[in-house]
Amino acid sequence: MPHTGPVFTLAQARHLVATLRPRVNELIKLRADLAELRVDLADHGASALGGLAEVKALEARLHAVVEEFHQHDIEVKGIAPVLLDFPGERAGRAVLWCWLEGDTDVRWYHRVECGFAGRRPV
């Protein structure tokens, strides 16, 4: 199944991950703050992080960061953990260069139709 949009080389995917690392770190912080705030509010009705207005603000900021990735044609497959896919080609076949939170670099790929279960080392 060929890609219909932009296609990244492995080098381009690696460069984008390195360039966008501060945004990934922001996404991780927002995710943690939002999770803590929601648990505190559910358990105690209050949190040192704020209330419902802060939940909505964190959600909006989180969605803005995800949208920024989409504007770079990066597929955000998950935020807990952060999982990013970059459409690419390998040996004439459509693949997704795959970066998972905790990886130091883009070191995995999988065929489009195989998904995460089909990940292989680059």
Side-chain angles (χ1 to χ4, degrees), residues 57-107:
L58 287 169
E59 288 173 342
R61 287 176 48 208
L62 190 137
H63 289 292
V65 172
V66 169
E67 181 55 33
E68 185 175 337
F69 290 120
H70 289 159
Q71 289 172 1
H72 287 281
D73 297 308
I74 299 168
E75 298 177 16
V76 179
K77 297 293 178 82
I79 63 167
V82 178
L83 177 59
L84 306 176
D85 279 346
F86 303 79
E89 289 183 4
R90 182 178 170 100
R93 173 167 265 163
V95 300
L96 294 168
W97 306 115
C98 189
W99 181 86
L100 179 63
E101 182 180 331
D103 290 350
T104 57
D105 197 359
V106 178
R107 295 198 171 140

Side-chain angles (χ1 to χ4, degrees), residues 1-12:
M1 169 184 336
H3 297 295
T4 57
V7 175
F8 297 92
T9 65
L10 177 57
Q12 289 169 324

Side-chain angles (χ1 to χ4, degrees), residues 16-34:
L16 267 174
V17 165
T19 302
L20 294 171
R21 181 74 62 167
R23 302 306 279 163
V24 170
N25 292 340
E26 180 181 1
L27 181 63
I28 292 166
K29 182 185 181 321
L30 290 167
R31 176 189 74 200
D33 287 349
L34 186 57

